[in-house]
């Protein structure tokens, strides 16, 4: 793979990225993004793209880690059974776990509730050279908290700060923090796995019918499903107001899991390719030192051979 961003690679992957990427430019309507899109390819062709992207991602991750300048933050959001867990597992299959860490944000602890809502996410940000994956994220503060006002009450914010503008204030704060992270070397990609209600229903049935999937099912999933329209409205508002060039959202068609993985992997590989990652160069002083060390190690081998002969 070329050390410089590859135009050929960009052209190859662009059809799987550009149609689903929203960076805040123009209008946004969630309903205009189909959930069953397959990008004009079939599953066999998609599998080949997925496998190629895994190899590319492995190569880029090694250089990202060695260069130790950039970090990559990947945010995954979606309704229950949208396929977040399986997508993460598939896209990152074969990646060196030393340079990649997944954080899942569930119900906040007592300690976390004693801090601002961004605190727990900020402590989990990836270091330079690493990939951080947020399986759900601080965006839940504009989703589940918005749909369930009682959750906001548990955060014990001063009452005069909880106004009708609180969600737009959170959008502004999140966008500002993501801009700050971007200016300090963190590349941010956000993925909304856009699954249809019918497909979610089928996946719930699969979890009920297959013993190996029973553990994935929760009664809470059904109660949340009943709030589908409210969640869709919350996602519409959130994506519209938090998509920026520094941190774009990708509205990933998720009815076909294989194509969701094509889109996610292609977006990540394309972003890393643009960073022009390379292994650190060794200066002349270090090369001369390496030469002396090599000669010393070779001399050890010679001494060992002589000692064996004498015996």
């Amino acid at each position: 793979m070329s050390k410089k961003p590859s135009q050929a690679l960009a052209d190859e992957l662009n059809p799987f990225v550009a149609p689903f990427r929203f960076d805040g430019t123009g209008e946004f309507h969630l309903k205009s993004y189909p959930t069953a899109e397959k990008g004009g390819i079939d599953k066999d062709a998609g599998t080949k793209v997925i496998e190629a992207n895994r190899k590319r991602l492995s190569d880029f991750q090694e250089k990202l880690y060695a260069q130790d300048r950039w970090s990559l933050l990947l945010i995954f959001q979606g309704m229950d059974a949208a396929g977040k867990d399986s997508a993460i597992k598939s896209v990152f299959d074969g990646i060196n776990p030393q340079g990649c860490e997944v954080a899942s944000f569930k119900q906040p602890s007592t300690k976390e509730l004693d801090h601002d809502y961004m605190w727990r996410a900020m402590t989990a940000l990836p270091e330079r050279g690493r990939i951080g994956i947020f399986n759900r994220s601080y965006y839940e503060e504009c989703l589940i908290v918005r749909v369930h006002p009682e959750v906001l009450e548990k955060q014990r914010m001063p009452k005069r700060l909880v106004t009708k503008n609180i969600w737009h204030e959170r959008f502004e704060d999140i966008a500002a923090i993501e801009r700050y992270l971007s200016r300090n070397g963190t590349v941010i990609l956000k993925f909304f796995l856009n699954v249809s209600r019918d497909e979610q229903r089928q996946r719930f049935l699969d979890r009920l019918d297959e013993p190996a999937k029973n553990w994935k099912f929760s009664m809470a999933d059904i109660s949340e499903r009943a709030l589908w329209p409210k969640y869709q409205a919350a996602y519409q508002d959130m994506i519209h107001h938090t998509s920026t060039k520094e941190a774009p959202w990708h509205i990933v068609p998720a009815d076909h899991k294989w194509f969701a993985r094509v889109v996610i992997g292609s977006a990540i590989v394309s972003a890393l390719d643009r960073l022009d990652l390379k292994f650190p160069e060794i200066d002349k002083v270090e090369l001369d030192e390496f030469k002396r060390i090599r000669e010393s190690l070779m001399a050890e081998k010679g001494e060992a051979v002589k000692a064996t002969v004498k015996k």
Side-chain angles (χ1 to χ4, degrees), residues 13-263:
L13 297 181
N14 191 59
F16 307 130
V17 181
F20 314 107
R21 183 178 185 273
F22 181 65
D23 65 2
T25 303
E27 294 294 321
F28 175 75
H29 301 286
L30 182 56
K31 290 184 178 180
S32 68
Y33 287 83
T35 61
E37 176 66 44
K38 293 189 285 187
I41 61 175
D42 59 20
K43 188 173 182 179
D44 288 341
T47 299
K48 293 178 181 178
V49 176
I50 292 169
E51 291 174 350
N53 280 338
R54 285 175 183 154
K55 294 177 181 177
R56 293 161 177 157
L57 182 54
S58 179
D59 176 64
F60 282 137
Q61 184 210 20
E62 188 176 6
K63 293 175 181 176
L64 179 78
Y65 186 87
Q67 193 179 60
D68 199 27
R69 290 186 179 273
W70 297 94
S71 61
L72 179 64
L73 175 61
L74 307 173
I75 293 174
F76 289 83
Q77 292 287 161
M79 297 292 288
D80 295 319
K84 298 181 292 298
D85 293 354
S86 60
I88 293 169
K89 182 179 179 180
S90 174
V91 171
F92 289 89
D93 184 29
I95 297 301
N96 187 341
Q98 290 187 94
C100 184
E101 186 171 357
V102 180
S104 296
F105 296 96
K106 298 183 179 181
Q107 184 174 341
S109 67
T110 301
K111 181 177 180 179
E112 289 168 343
L113 287 172
D114 278 334
H115 291 269
D116 64 274
Y117 71 87
M118 292 292 288
W119 178 79
R120 64 175 180 166
M122 296 301 97
T123 62
L125 289 172
E127 302 173 16
R128 295 193 191 281
R130 269 95 168 157
I131 298 174
I133 302 170
F134 284 3
N135 188 352
R136 299 190 186 272
S137 68
Y138 43 81
Y139 279 104
E140 291 296 298
E141 298 295 333
C142 306
L143 294 167
I144 191 169
V145 179
R146 187 172 188 175
V147 173
H148 294 278
E150 66 275 12
V151 177
L152 183 61
E153 178 63 29
K154 293 179 182 178
Q155 295 181 352
R156 300 193 298 276
M157 289 180 60
K159 292 189 179 297
R160 67 179 181 180
L161 298 182
V162 182
T163 70
K164 63 180 181 180
N165 296 320
I166 188 170
W167 309 117
H168 281 230
E169 289 169 353
R170 288 192 171 186
F171 295 154
E172 292 175 357
D173 292 339
I174 288 172
I177 289 173
E178 291 180 342
R179 185 163 50 248
Y180 164 79
L181 293 174
S182 176
R183 288 173 175 172
N184 283 273
T186 297
V187 176
I188 303 172
L189 299 178
K190 301 177 295 196
F191 301 98
F192 168 56
L193 275 66
N194 189 23
V195 69
S196 67
R197 193 170 187 177
D198 285 344
E199 179 62 22
Q200 187 198 55
R201 171 182 171 275
Q202 185 58 53
R203 292 180 187 179
F204 281 166
L205 288 173
D206 290 343
R207 291 179 179 183
L208 290 170
D209 295 340
E210 297 181 34
K213 293 183 178 181
N214 285 171
W215 67 273
K216 291 185 177 182
F217 186 78
S218 168
M219 291 304 296
D221 294 341
I222 298 302
S223 59
E224 292 301 283
R225 177 176 166 80
L227 300 171
W228 184 279
K230 290 186 176 181
Y231 273 109
Q232 293 299 297
Y235 270 112
Q236 161 69 34
D237 206 25
M238 181 196 75
I239 295 173
H240 179 214
H241 288 95
T242 61
S243 294
T244 63
K245 292 182 178 179
E246 296 89 356
W249 275 101
H250 298 79
I251 298 83
V252 181
D255 280 2
H256 301 287
K257 289 187 175 183
W258 63 267
F259 189 67
R261 295 162 189 176
V262 167
V263 174

